[in-house]
Amino acid sequence: MTILLAGCGDLGTEAGLRFHALGHRVVGWRRSPSKLPAAIEAVAADLGAPGLPPVPADTTAVVIAVAADSPSEEAYRAAYVDGSAHVLDALERDGVQPGRVIFVSSTAVYGDAGGGWVDEDTPTAPGGFSGRILLEAEQLIRSRFSGTATTATSLRLGGIYGPGRTRLIDQVRTGSAVVPEDIRYTNRIHRDDAAAAMVHLATMAARPAATYVGVDNDPADLGTVLRFLATEMGLPEPPVGDAGPARGGNKRCRNELLRSTGFAFTYPSFREGYRAVLAGAGVRHP
């Protein structure tokens, strides 16, 4: 197979290495291609601008894994909506019809569920611009491939942690972490499992569904996670107090549909994942 990675940051690069390890040709589009490892055929491309490079004619699957330059509405729109549109325009321009297009989205499209459960069938109700823009990008991609031979799939990831993604660890270490006074559920996925899920959906024998929730098996209360990290690092438990607004909304995301495809997690919960991070396993790709 020939895989086109439209966006090769940390997550896209990790997925590219995994595609390559399976024997596939991997082409990566990135503004700074010199940072990509030799396993990925690096091509200079700014997804935020029209006129992208030629798409390999034998492209089997496209993975759109972009990231905004800043946490602003303008940057999100430029990355996710405009960037996706430019990729789709390049496919149409070059007459390339991949079997699958995987779009890396976020559980932010669900907003807050008051601690309730959400899955692929839950109506979307984004609470902020990030979720609204990601949902717009999902709908754009789905509509462009409606009625074609290309299967468009959105992988809605929870909060990504892993090598170099240590926000909660840093908060506990510096003493700035605060355990919320109320139960606040959080959803996460280790970077390696997120990349593995992208590869799995692009290559599995069965045709993937339109949407998958990409989170681990344990939508844990934030206080439980913070106390666990403190214990693992031999530090005092963070105090209980006003932790501010819920980051990503208070909800519990189900991953049963992803697991039903045969996907297995290397880090099924935050415990295994954070222990690996604290042990220094893995590297963050530049």
Side-chain angles (χ1 to χ4, degrees):
M1 297 173 61
T2 294
I3 310 295
L4 173 61
L5 293 173
C8 274
D10 176 46
L11 182 58
T13 299
E14 179 64 27
L17 292 173
R18 290 167 181 263
F19 279 120
H20 177 76
L22 292 175
H24 304 305
R25 177 193 179 198
V26 185
V27 177
W29 284 356
R30 177 173 168 155
R31 277 180 295 188
S32 50
S34 63
K35 295 181 179 180
L36 291 176
I40 299 174
E41 296 179 30
V43 178
D46 181 359
L47 300 184
L52 290 172
V55 179
D58 62 344
T59 296
T60 313
V62 177
V63 178
I64 302 176
V66 297
D69 290 336
S70 67
S72 69
E73 187 165 355
E74 295 74 18
Y76 265 69
R77 179 164 296 280
Y80 293 102
V81 177
D82 297 343
S84 296
H86 294 151
V87 173
L88 303 183
D89 289 344
L91 290 169
E92 184 175 344
R93 176 199 67 201
D94 297 341
V96 178
Q97 294 184 315
R100 295 175 189 178
V101 172
I102 310 297
F103 175 68
V104 180
S105 186
S106 166
T107 56
V109 300
Y110 295 113
D112 190 286
W117 288 94
V118 302
D119 61 16
E120 293 80 4
D121 294 325
T122 302
T124 53
F129 71 82
S130 62
R132 289 196 300 271
I133 290 173
L134 283 160
L135 186 60
E136 183 179 342
E138 286 189 20
Q139 293 167 341
L140 167 69
I141 295 168
R142 194 167 295 124
S143 67
R144 288 281 288 265
F145 291 112
S146 177
T148 73
T150 300
T151 299
T153 296
S154 297
L155 176 60
R156 295 171 175 169
L157 298 177
I160 303 173
Y161 72 103
R165 298 174 182 260
T166 56
R167 181 178 59 88
L168 293 186
I169 291 173
D170 296 340
Q171 287 180 1
V172 173
R173 185 173 282 134
T174 61
S176 63
V178 176
V179 173
E181 295 170 336
D182 54 343
I183 297 295
R184 185 175 299 176
Y185 291 105
T186 57
N187 303 270
R188 60 185 52 78
I189 186 168
H190 191 284
R191 189 275 314 269
D192 291 1
D193 281 329
M198 293 155 62
V199 173
H200 177 72
L201 295 177
T203 60
M204 69 183 191
R207 181 175 178 176
T211 307
Y212 291 93
V213 173
V215 297
D216 67 21
N217 300 344
D218 190 354
D221 167 52
L222 179 57
T224 300
V225 179
L226 293 174
R227 292 184 177 107
F228 168 82
L229 290 173
T231 299
E232 290 293 306
M233 292 188 283
L235 297 173
E237 285 192 359
V240 176
D242 182 3
R247 182 184 175 100
N250 183 18
K251 56 182 175 283
R252 287 177 282 177
C253 297
R254 301 184 194 274
N255 66 7
E256 276 83 353
L257 185 61
L258 178 60
R259 290 163 62 192
S260 74
T261 66
F263 181 76
F265 287 83
T266 299
Y267 305 105
S269 82
F270 68 89
R271 295 173 181 84
E272 297 88 354
Y274 274 122
R275 281 178 178 140
V277 175
L278 290 170
V283 296
R284 183 162 185 170
H285 304 294

